[in-house]
Amino acid sequence: MSTQIRGAEVVMKCLVAEGVSTIFGYPGGAIMPIYDALYDFRDTVTHHLVRHEQGAIHAAQGYARTSKTVGVCFATSGPGATNLITGIADAMIDSTPVVCITGQVASHLLGTDAFQETDVIGISMPVTKWNIQVTRAEDIQPALAKAFYIARSGRPGPVLIDITKDAQFGLTEFEYKPFGEIRSYNPSPKLDVEAVKKAAELLNSAKKPYLLVGQGIILSSAEKALVEFAEKSGIPVASTLLGLGAIPANHPQYVGYLGMHGNYAPNVLTNDCDVLLGVGLRFDDRVTGDTSRYAKQAQIIHIDIDKSELGKIVDTKIAIHADANEALQELTKWIEPKKHDQWIQQFRDLEAIEDEQIIQNVIHPVKNELKMAEVVHKLSEKTDGRAIVVTDVGQHQMVTSRYYKYKESNNNITSGGLGTMGFGLPAAIGAKLGNPDKTTVLIVGDGGFQMTIQELGTILQSKVDVKIIILNNNFLGMVRQWQQLFFEKRYSFTDIVNPDFCAIARGYGLEAVKIDERDQLDGALDDLLNSKGAYLLEIVVEQEENVFPMVATGASVSEIRLS
């Protein structure tokens, strides 16, 4: 005679079967049966109690990115579920695999505006890779198996499962059956070898070939294939924000960071190459600038696992629907060994201009005020570019992406496509738990830090060893920069009066120090990195420091400003 168990226990057994060992969440009425079942799995699964549901989803994102597994979070119905939406949208655009499990009112109350009832399926549909509402206990297991399959396969993304309270209480038999395939869903496209050969022909005949790489390299574990292809082809390589670390920053063919606040050379010379190969990137507006003036002289080859991205933003000569790792390995077979020393020297010449006009002035400043860039530069040197670095969103994010020299992948954890302020602190918690053996440093602005500052409570309770650097300029810095450059210095509500961050941190059990002098910086960073347990370092930086270079909205990438 078979034994029946409650749907809530089915949830936990499914998670264990999928290898889940870490969950971030916040309990409530509609998800209480699942939390009751979780009580009996405490030796197998560690649950981290966040202080707000947004913290749960961002922590799950950070965990997924550093562990290279699926992140998991729990929330209750109504406001609990809706508080996940920002993070779900962030995970969707940044291709982060997370499974969100929300409780829901009993099925007979659906559509009645019951207490804490919200149509989370309708709300989340545009920002999930897949979602489903489960109203029967027997449907929980297949829904969860399908959720994990969809979240991690192909281009990864977030999935939401909304489970009614009666389904959680309902009885059913349990046998875990991993999910196999979905008709019309093709997460592993067959590589078109003939298209790869044509791409190789274009590249072999090019005088100024150029390789742009995005996060798809990291998601497909194509870092080794990328280096092998680059070194055989001799082609210069530039990276998007989320692609940083896909190739080591000190590689002789790496020419810099693309985008609005990226490096001068890789932006300008986009409009000088003759063949442009993009692998695992979306050609989003921060990379292309004005698309009507983007690489019009070049024949473009685009490789991406998401077919919808091919031809969406830029016209392509050759579109290859494929996994980046598989495609690069095949392309390397057909590429001719070459050197493009003169072409790469053009990047180095422009790099020298940027170094003289911008970089040296901000990493070795003469003025008394500390600059964000010198802080990040010193941190990069002290950690040899090998720490996990989490950023929030704003000027500090752009400065970090420019001056932290990533030598390894999966170390750059940031909100790229959505640009979510408040992402940093909870994502750093998840990132550290996802790879506990590596030093994890959060670099955050004074504005974004206060959006999820309550997650210091999660650090306190879960004893998470996160090193926090607040770059405090008492402004919402990125918006202020735009107001200065494009709105005649009309600083409308961007100056911010801050609390005593160190006192707050100490209240949560963290050691905390504040500095505002250059001669304090070296020692303060050493203390931060050598500390046992979580630590907060507040650094007062120049109030009106701007981040350059900069591509203004509507400008061509070749019109990037140095001042």
Side-chain angles (χ1 to χ4, degrees), residues 509-530:
L510 279 72
E511 189 174 351
V513 171
K514 179 178 181 178
I515 66 167
D516 57 8
E517 298 289 341
R518 182 160 291 108
D519 60 8
Q520 300 172 304
L521 181 58
D522 265 314
L525 288 175
D526 287 339
D527 290 343
L528 171 93
L529 294 171
N530 295 327

Side-chain angles (χ1 to χ4, degrees), residues 409-425:
S409 64
N410 295 309
N411 282 3
N412 168 40
I413 312 300
T414 195
S415 171
L418 199 64
T420 305
M421 290 181 70
F423 171 90
L425 181 57

Side-chain angles (χ1 to χ4, degrees), residues 479-496:
V479 184
R480 183 214 56 76
Q481 177 170 336
W482 279 67
Q483 288 175 336
Q484 176 184 337
L485 297 176
F486 306 113
F487 292 88
E488 300 176 334
K489 285 193 174 184
R490 290 162 60 87
Y491 293 162
S492 180
F493 300 98
T494 45
D495 59 317
I496 182 169

Side-chain angles (χ1 to χ4, degrees), residues 399-461:
V399 168
T400 302
S401 62
R402 286 177 50 78
Y403 296 102
Y404 194 88
K405 302 304 180 185
Y406 295 93
K407 293 182 179 176
E408 299 172 348
S409 64
N410 295 309
N411 282 3
N412 168 40
I413 312 300
T414 195
S415 171
L418 199 64
T420 305
M421 290 181 70
F423 171 90
L425 181 57
I429 293 169
K432 177 62 179 180
L433 293 169
N435 194 341
D437 294 333
K438 296 195 74 168
T439 298
T440 298
V441 181
L442 166 66
I443 301 177
V444 63
D446 45 317
F449 185 62
Q450 291 180 80
M451 287 196 171
T452 47
I453 194 171
Q454 72 280 348
E455 297 309 325
L456 290 173
T458 306
I459 290 177
L460 170 66
Q461 185 163 349

Side-chain angles (χ1 to χ4, degrees), residues 84-197:
L84 297 177
I85 296 299
T86 295
I88 293 173
D90 192 288
M92 184 67 176
I93 199 166
D94 281 355
S95 306
T96 305
V98 289
V99 169
C100 307
I101 297 173
T102 56
Q104 184 56 275
V105 301
S107 55
H108 73 279
L109 293 174
L110 292 172
T112 68
D113 293 331
F115 178 67
Q116 290 193 333
E117 182 201 357
T118 301
D119 178 11
V120 70
I121 295 298
I123 292 171
S124 65
M125 188 174 293
V127 293
T128 49
K129 193 175 175 186
W130 181 67
N131 66 8
I132 189 172
Q133 186 172 79
V134 179
T135 59
R136 303 188 309 165
E138 56 265 36
D139 295 331
I140 291 174
Q141 185 277 321
L144 272 163
K146 187 175 181 179
F148 276 88
Y149 172 71
I150 291 174
R152 66 163 66 98
S153 60
R155 179 180 178 176
V159 171
L160 183 140
I161 304 176
D162 192 45
I163 308 176
T164 61
K165 201 167 184 178
D166 51 322
Q168 296 172 51
F169 277 126
L171 295 175
T172 185
E173 296 177 4
F174 176 75
E175 179 186 359
Y176 194 72
K177 298 177 182 178
F179 201 82
E181 60 182 67
I182 304 169
R183 189 171 60 185
S184 78
Y185 175 54
N186 182 25
S188 302
K190 183 179 179 181
L191 181 64
D192 184 344
V193 176
E194 290 305 311
V196 172
K197 289 180 182 179

